[in-house]
């Protein structure tokens, strides 16, 4: 249970060293999960102080194509842009940290706008020692089943995933207000839920991600009153293997080789990210 163990460790780390930097936590999360599961791999890049897209990382989840599951060259790829944030605890206000801006604009605007352009789902990764309230999670989360949330109801986590569009609403829908860590976590899910993907068969993993993708499309169709709210891709964040970026194909095919050249290659297509990560669910675990 690689994500369970990693997220639990991060919580313990935060308790013992509350001033640890979020960059250190992210670096360790990526290293530890990839160390313990060969289906998870990543490439870190040089850091950029004034990012243009508001995203720390680009993540892809690869799944078997249910119409041709034995052909490894044909698969589906689900795209995510991820921004990491270490939350202030003990009732402190997290508004300023999440409404952060640089010379290019509000970080959350950059994150959601680029996600829309590139057909990705924008996520925040929170680091926190606090516990969300399960009933509030069930009420607030649009894309996660209640049974899935309860699967990890009592698992210790220091790392959480939040839909950036929900974060935007919390920040700006009702004017300036104090945002506690508990309120933010109540609109997030525990990182340990990702282990569900590794307990499923490749076909079941594809079903779960496809269902998640359909929920995203339906949700945005409703709130935008638009049957084509993803103008660049009718499948939401789901990309077929023959339409993924060239840099991703290269990364998947050559991940075990020397990739010192890879950052410059990717930066031509998607500048100013701290790295790329892949969770490969195409094969039996």
């Amino acid at each position: 249970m690689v994500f369970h163990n990693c997220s639990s460790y991060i919580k313990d780390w935060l308790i013992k060293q509350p001033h640890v930097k979020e960059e250190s936590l992210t670096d360790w999360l990526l290293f530890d999960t990839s160390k313990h599961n060969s289906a998870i791999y990543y490439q870190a890049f040089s850091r950029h102080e004034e990012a243009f897209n508001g995203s720390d990382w680009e993540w892809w989840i690869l799944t078997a194509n249910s119409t041709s599951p034995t052909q490894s060259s044909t698969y589906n790829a689900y795209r995510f842009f991820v921004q990491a944030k270490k939350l202030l605890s003990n009732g402190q206000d997290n508004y300023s940290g999440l409404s952060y801006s640089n010379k290019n604009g509000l970080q959350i605007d950059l994150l959601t706008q680029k996600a829309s352009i590139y057909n990705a789902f924008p996520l925040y990764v929170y680091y926190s020692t606090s516990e969300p309230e399960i009933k509030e999670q069930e009420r607030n989360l649009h894309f996660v089943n209640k049974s899935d949330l309860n699967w990890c109801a009592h698992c210790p986590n220091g790392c959480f995933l939040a839909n950036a569009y929900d974060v935007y609403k919390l920040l700006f829908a009702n004017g300036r207000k104090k945002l506690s860590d508990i309120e933010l976590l109540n609109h997030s899910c525990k990182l340990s839920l990702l282990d569900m993907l590794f307990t499923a068969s490749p076909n079941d993993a594809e079903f779960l991600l496809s269902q998640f993708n359909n929920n995203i499309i339906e949700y945005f169709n409703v709130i935008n009153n638009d049957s084509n709210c993803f103008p660049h891709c009718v499948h939401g964040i789901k990309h077929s293997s023959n339409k993924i970026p060239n840099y991703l194909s290269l990364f998947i095919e050559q991940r075990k080789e020397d990739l010192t050249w890879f950052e410059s290659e990717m930066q031509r297509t998607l500048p100013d990210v701290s790295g790329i990560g892949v969770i490969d669910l195409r094969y039996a675990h």
Side-chain angles (χ1 to χ4, degrees):
M1 302 291 272
V2 61
F3 287 103
H4 276 76
N5 295 337
C6 179
S7 194
S8 177
Y9 184 91
I10 286 176
K11 180 172 186 175
D12 188 53
W13 189 356
L14 285 165
I15 291 171
K16 293 177 179 177
Q17 292 184 312
H19 298 297
V20 61
K21 302 292 185 182
E22 66 188 26
E23 293 87 358
S24 298
L25 295 169
T26 300
D27 289 342
W28 188 85
L29 185 155
L30 295 165
F31 169 77
D32 186 69
T33 53
S34 62
K35 175 184 175 182
H36 289 98
N37 193 321
S38 61
I40 303 170
Y41 45 97
Y42 74 100
Q43 181 75 23
F45 300 152
S46 303
R47 298 197 184 277
H48 299 268
E49 294 183 2
E50 298 291 338
F52 286 91
N53 63 12
S55 172
D56 279 343
W57 284 80
E58 181 181 37
W59 272 94
W60 293 84
I61 302 180
L62 311 182
T63 62
N65 189 327
S66 57
T67 59
S68 54
T70 60
Q71 297 184 28
S72 60
S73 62
T74 304
Y75 53 89
N76 298 314
Y78 296 85
R79 192 176 201 175
F80 300 83
F81 286 163
V82 182
Q83 178 69 55
K85 288 292 179 185
K86 181 183 168 187
L87 298 183
L88 300 174
S89 59
N90 300 321
Q92 297 180 76
D93 188 7
N94 287 278
Y95 184 94
S96 296
L98 288 167
S99 60
Y100 168 80
S101 64
N102 60 33
K103 65 182 181 182
N104 303 304
L106 282 170
Q107 188 179 65
I108 193 167
D109 279 338
L110 298 171
L111 175 63
T112 54
Q113 289 166 8
K114 286 294 182 180
S116 176
I117 292 170
Y118 289 101
N119 304 105
F121 192 67
L123 287 172
Y124 276 92
V125 171
Y126 295 145
Y127 299 119
S128 175
T129 58
S130 297
E131 284 292 323
E133 300 161 327
I134 186 67
K135 294 299 181 184
E136 287 299 306
Q137 286 180 302
E138 291 176 356
R139 187 169 68 87
N140 294 329
L141 297 181
H142 303 288
F143 310 130
V144 185
N145 294 327
K146 291 182 180 180
S147 60
D148 295 339
L149 288 170
N150 281 277
W151 188 67
C152 277
H154 303 293
C155 301
N157 275 252
C159 192
F160 303 82
L161 302 174
N163 168 6
Y165 297 109
D166 285 347
V167 178
Y168 192 94
K169 282 193 244 179
L170 288 170
L171 286 169
F172 304 118
N174 298 308
R176 173 67 164 94
K177 69 170 187 174
K178 183 178 180 180
L179 280 178
S180 70
D181 55 343
I182 299 297
E183 183 172 6
L184 291 166
L185 296 181
N186 285 345
H187 289 79
S188 73
C189 64
K190 295 180 174 182
L191 181 73
S192 54
L193 283 178
L194 289 183
D195 279 322
M196 294 185 71
L197 297 173
F198 290 99
T199 63
S201 69
N203 283 343
D204 288 340
E206 159 58 21
F207 176 79
L208 287 170
L209 268 297
S210 183
Q211 186 179 55
F212 173 78
N213 185 60
N214 290 338
N215 289 342
I216 292 171
I217 294 172
E218 181 179 357
Y219 173 71
F220 283 106
N221 286 347
V222 170
I223 65 172
N224 294 325
N225 192 27
D226 182 0
S227 62
N228 189 27
C229 63
F230 286 93
H232 304 281
C233 177
V234 295
H235 300 296
I237 67 168
K238 183 176 182 178
H239 303 248
S240 60
S241 54
N242 62 346
K243 293 185 178 180
I244 61 175
N246 287 335
Y247 64 78
L248 179 61
S249 298
L250 290 169
F251 183 55
I252 295 168
E253 294 166 4
Q254 302 180 33
R255 66 185 181 92
K256 295 182 180 180
E257 302 174 15
D258 180 8
L259 292 175
T260 53
W261 53 269
F262 183 68
E263 178 172 1
S264 59
E265 178 69 26
M266 183 173 173
Q267 293 292 334
R268 293 191 186 98
T269 305
L270 189 68
D272 298 299
V273 293
S274 294
I276 181 173
V278 170
I279 300 176
D280 195 339
L281 303 173
R282 292 177 292 171
Y283 315 107
H285 314 306

